[in-house]
Amino acid sequence: MSFLFPAVTDGPGERVALRFGDRSLTYAQLAAAAGAVAARVRGHERVAVWAAPAPETAVGVVGTLLAGAAAVPLNPRSGEKELGHILGDSAPSLVLAAAGDALPAALAGRERVDVDVRASGPVPEDHADDGDPALIVYTSGTTGPPKGAVIPRRAVAATLDALAGAWQWTGEDVLVHGLPLFHVHGLVLGVLGPLRRGGAVRHLGRFTTEGVARELNGGATMLFGVPTMYHRIAEALPGDPELVKALAGARLLVSGSAALPVHDHERIAAATGRRVIERYGMTETLMNTSVRVDGEVRAGSVGLPLPGVELRLVDEDGTEITAYDGETVGEIQVRGPNLFTGYLNRPDATAAAFTADGFFRTGDMAVRDGDGQIRLVGRKATDLIKSGGYKIGAGEIENALLEHPGVREAAVTGEPDPDLGERIVAWIVPANPQSPPGTEELAGHVARRLAPHKRPRVVRVLDALPRNDMGKIMKRALRHG
Ligand code: MCA
Ligand code: AMP
């Protein structure tokens, strides 16, 4: 395990590793508390972690990794259907949570271990193989329920070390963010990243521009966020000199999970003199490309392939595009130590995701500029929506909507949104045209079954959905106005 987090075992013991609000843990305290978790987890294969924005989540995941087991982070806001699916699919034999956390009924029959950040146990010897699973992270596809991406330990190490090079990220850095801890961005980059470097992370609990200003003005050096967060920062900057000062003084501002609008990039640059760096990744691949801290920063560019990542663009027939012309569009395919090993229990989906020569098909469309920098231009599948940086499959929301008694037919699309990037729009044919269910009713229904971030923001009622001769819904015909 010293392999993943040398600083936890041999590092600067008295230095602060984690801070969540007014609760903080030094490296020595983290090692002791994670050691205690590891003693309970040893011998288990997969362990669920109730991934609230709290130090117990970090201690639970590190303890699980110290024990050589795999952690399955759970969104504490997951609805009953989504949670039921994840638990049924990943079959964790333990659930780790903070002592005070009230867990939902879906977790009732499972053995629970309370994570105590003041507990103490020895750090076990590391017997894990670098191909062993570290994390199972659930991610949405176009149809059906989310799939569990099995992320091996080597991928975590490879991606974090590649980013350290690109960003000159060291143990001196103090990261601030308010990202959720059940996805790669907040958990792998945002928590495991600082711990691998021997640095610190300060989590905001929930994202606010005030929190960002306070922490960056109070010693934090780096900020990670999704574009929605940078949009809210860009909106706040003109009236907030503290925020201007905070961003201007930061060593590094990084955006990812979705495209950062050029307008927001430019507004932040104009107000603070700082350019936000973009990196491009996926749950299945961790990080593929990044702008380098010592390289040229161009709005809209996600930079160069990271060391160790083989990246190619291919056209419709799978032929590699060799042009560096900034205009020939192809699908990004990647290969390297940063990749997942497959979708849990889904050999069919795993096989479909890879080419014969072992490249992962990202489904992201891009061009390559003259200097090799990658610019993303869209996605292959229109049924994948990115809202607030969360990936959301249209199919899973349609299925949830169809379970509402007031809905006869449903189709879900994403529409441009200045704050969220895309907003989820539900087009429904009501069971009773006289009394269609309203937006709040359907949003609440989806939030309770799946998760609040998957709820439709807009509901549009139609007499019939546009269909082609085969009966397939023509989503492109579903446009407002
Ligand atoms: C609203 N809420 C509801 C309902 N409506 N709850 C139940 N039922 C409802 N009908 C609650 C929400 O839970 C929340 O509660 C509050 O109302 C506001 O919700 P919302 O409007 O959705 O939140 P927001 O403030 O607009 O969120 C914006 C955000 C968020 C903070 C930017 O979208 C976010 O955290 N995004 C990050 C996504 C991310 O990390 N993606 C990484 C995956 P309360 O007020 O209590 O909070 S991509 C990835 O990992 C790859 C590898 C990569 O490249 O990074
Ligand atoms: P997820 O499956 O939630 O991990 O999301 C991965 C997807 O987020 C990628 O396939 C991209 O479509 C998108 N993404 C991640 N980073 C960026 C970025 N910097 N710019 C544009 N899209 C991004």
Side-chain angles (χ1 to χ4, degrees), residues 23 47 66 111 135 137 153 199 229 242 245 264 282 396 418 446 448 469:
R23 302 174 69 205
V47 169
L66 285 176
E111 191 180 344
L135 299 164
V137 179
R153 298 162 73 94
M229 296 171 181
E242 282 298 297
K245 186 170 126 218
D264 289 330
M282 267 182 105
E396 58 179 325
V446 173
R448 278 190 303 279
D469 293 346

Side-chain angles (χ1 to χ4, degrees), residues 341-354:
T341 49
Y343 297 111
L344 190 67
N345 304 322
R346 294 293 305 274
D348 53 331
T350 304
F354 286 93

Side-chain angles (χ1 to χ4, degrees), residues 77 137 178-186 189 206-207 226-229 232 256-258 279-287 386-391 419-420 440 443-445 447-448 451-453 455 457:
R77 290 183 181 274
V137 179
L179 293 158
L181 301 187
F182 46 86
H183 278 307
V184 161
H185 194 167
L189 273 59
R206 66 173 298 159
F207 172 83
V226 296
T228 300
M229 296 171 181
R232 293 178 186 182
S257 303
R279 92 293 181 285
Y280 155 66
M282 267 182 105
T283 303
E284 291 91 334
T285 65
L286 304 189
M287 294 305 116
K386 265 275 166 168
S387 190
Y390 286 112
K391 183 151 87 180
D419 180 47
L420 296 169
E440 235 177 84
H445 171 81
R448 278 190 303 279
H453 66 264
R455 71 191 190 277
R457 307 280 174 145

